[in-house]
Amino acid sequence: MTLPSWQKEMDGDRRVGSMVRAALWLLTEVGEGSIFTKSELRSAFPDVAQIDRRIRDLRDRGWRIDTSRDDPSLKQDEQRFVSRGADVWIPGQAKGPKHKNGLTAAQRQKTLEGDSYLCRSCGIAAGEEYGDDLTQAVLNIARRKVLLADGTEQYQLVTECKRCGSGSTDREVDLVALLELVEDLSSMERRILAGWIAADQRTPEPIDKLWGLYRTLPEEARKAVASALDDAGAPGDADS
């Protein structure tokens, strides 16, 4: 099948939108698996003010276009055209999925309030700095696919920081499997979990902090910790 020209705004008597032209440009000028820069994209479409947004729109139609957030080997101004999605130049194929429709201000505000204005993945608030650098967190509203107990799927809104949301477009939650894990908990474990849920936080115990620190150690340092534990003996040894 011969593709329409990405350089023309009209295909016969039908107007070709900028998103469609961007898709055709990726296919014919860039090629799957290849890298392009923002400046190359803007040079190809000097008459389109928001061509970057049209590229993002393609992602909602199944096109995989990675940025430096998805692929650390890319520079900040580079993107990789990984694979094509819907044939958006065919009438009827350019329409985005329903759950990708834009959020209203009321939906966004309700989601932020329900999530206590915190990223539900890492707990950071907007404007707070990450511990590993001076980057400040930016909160977004993500759509998460939830598999419900009746077997249906529902897209629900959740607050995520930009860092946690990177590359998470296909993330989903199996609520049935999660509830089955809850059923398997002992009575004590259920009470502990209920307390964490009521407080909407879990304060790490000292042993949790020690484990986290241990996991970051080089091999020789890990061996030293293991040896110290062996020397101390198992709990109760001194009383036996």
Side-chain angles (χ1 to χ4, degrees), residues 4-189:
S5 171
W6 65 270
Q7 296 174 311
K8 296 181 180 180
E9 295 186 12
M10 297 297 296
D11 181 22
D13 59 353
R14 184 170 66 92
R15 187 178 185 279
V16 180
S18 54
M19 182 186 71
V20 173
R21 292 176 60 205
L24 294 168
W25 177 77
L26 288 173
L27 284 173
T28 58
E29 301 296 323
V30 178
E32 292 186 63
S34 297
I35 294 174
F36 64 96
T37 64
K38 293 180 180 179
S39 60
E40 289 172 341
L41 176 64
R42 292 166 184 165
S43 294
F45 298 92
D47 56 326
V48 182
Q50 296 184 321
I51 191 61
D52 292 347
R53 180 173 294 182
R54 302 291 81 82
I55 290 290
R56 292 197 295 272
D57 290 341
L58 284 172
R59 295 189 181 98
D60 294 339
R61 276 81 177 169
W63 290 61
R64 182 177 168 188
I65 304 164
D66 287 354
T67 67
S68 57
R69 294 192 302 272
D70 308 303
D71 182 351
S73 69
L74 295 172
K75 298 176 182 178
Q76 190 170 3
D77 66 334
E78 292 179 334
Q79 298 184 61
R80 188 190 306 277
F81 171 33
V82 180
S83 59
R84 64 190 282 179
D87 295 341
V88 293
W89 52 90
I90 297 177
Q93 295 294 310
K95 189 175 181 181
K98 267 187 181 178
H99 70 273
K100 292 292 187 178
N101 291 342
L103 294 177
T104 65
Q107 286 176 310
R108 178 178 175 80
Q109 184 63 26
K110 181 180 179 181
T111 303
L112 288 169
E113 289 179 356
D115 292 338
S116 302
Y117 295 90
L118 299 173
C119 171
R120 298 306 300 178
S121 295
C122 71
I124 200 167
E128 286 187 345
E129 294 180 354
Y130 293 100
D132 54 353
D133 58 32
L134 298 179
T135 304
Q136 292 186 334
V138 176
L139 297 183
N140 296 319
I141 305 301
R143 293 174 171 86
R144 184 78 70 251
K145 183 166 75 171
V146 180
L147 307 180
L148 301 176
D150 61 3
T152 60
E153 298 177 354
Q154 185 180 85
Y155 282 88
Q156 300 179 5
L157 302 178
V158 64
T159 306
E160 274 187 338
C161 70
K162 190 174 182 180
R163 178 179 291 189
C164 289
S166 176
S168 68
T169 53
D170 297 326
R171 191 180 300 171
E172 64 181 40
V173 178
D174 188 339
L175 191 58
V176 177
L178 182 60
L179 293 175
E180 288 176 352
L181 292 174
V182 172
E183 288 293 324
D184 292 338
L185 295 176
S186 66
S187 297
M188 179 178 292
E189 289 172 328

